[in-house]
Amino acid sequence: MKEKTVINILFCGTGGQGVLTAAEIVSLASMYDGYHTKKSEVHGMAQRGGSVESHVRFACKVCNTVASPLIEEGAANFLVPFYKSERDRLLSFLAPDGVDMLKDLEEANNLPNKKFINTFMLGRLSKHLNITQASWLKALEVGFKGKLIEENRKVFLEAANRIEA
């Protein structure tokens, strides 16, 4: 069953951490599953380690529409940080019943290869969303443009299978 309400996901980090790629992959996966999806990016000095954030919003096409790509403060269902300071800065966007994925980031920081932190976070996020695994895997392949796809798929599936949904 598709999500009847609008799902709001806020990704945040600094330049070069894969924030925009992660947001693109969630957007693609949700669209492959038939959701109406919108995404917005904010990145100023991202190439110099500056702040990067991306808003992803999606809902069932029949049940609801997503009018704006931007999430209002206090309305994010999920806050997906790639850098703790950015999470602290954007915490006001998280809904009172929203999911702060800081603990998942702390675990991701223990990965032997930091290149896969964004993939790990996507795996964790996937367990909270009503998106098929086939759509996730297709989006991973498209989002990473075939780069290190086997490694990304492995990290995603391991992260997705480690948590209780």
Side-chain angles (χ1 to χ4, degrees), residues 7-10 71-79 90-99:
I7 300 297
N8 298 311
I9 306 167
L10 177 56
I71 300 168
E72 293 181 20
E73 278 197 61
N77 303 101
F78 301 94
L79 179 59
L90 295 171
L91 193 56
S92 63
F93 279 81
L94 189 63
D97 61 344
V99 177

Side-chain angles (χ1 to χ4, degrees), residues 104-164:
D104 300 292
L105 175 63
E106 291 168 354
E107 191 174 336
N109 282 325
N110 292 325
L111 290 173
N113 188 339
K114 304 295 184 224
K115 281 186 172 181
F116 299 107
I117 287 176
N118 62 350
T119 305
F120 182 91
M121 295 299 284
L122 286 172
R124 288 299 175 93
L125 178 64
S126 74
K127 297 307 282 184
H128 298 283
L129 302 176
N130 192 9
I131 295 175
T132 64
Q133 187 176 66
S135 291
W136 280 109
L137 296 178
K138 182 178 176 184
L140 283 171
E141 192 161 330
V142 172
F144 287 115
K145 301 176 177 80
K147 291 187 287 187
L148 301 172
I149 192 62
E150 288 307 317
E151 294 86 348
N152 277 302
R153 186 178 294 127
K154 181 181 174 194
V155 169
F156 175 86
L157 291 172
E158 285 178 2
N161 292 326
R162 265 197 245 172
I163 65 169
E164 303 292 319

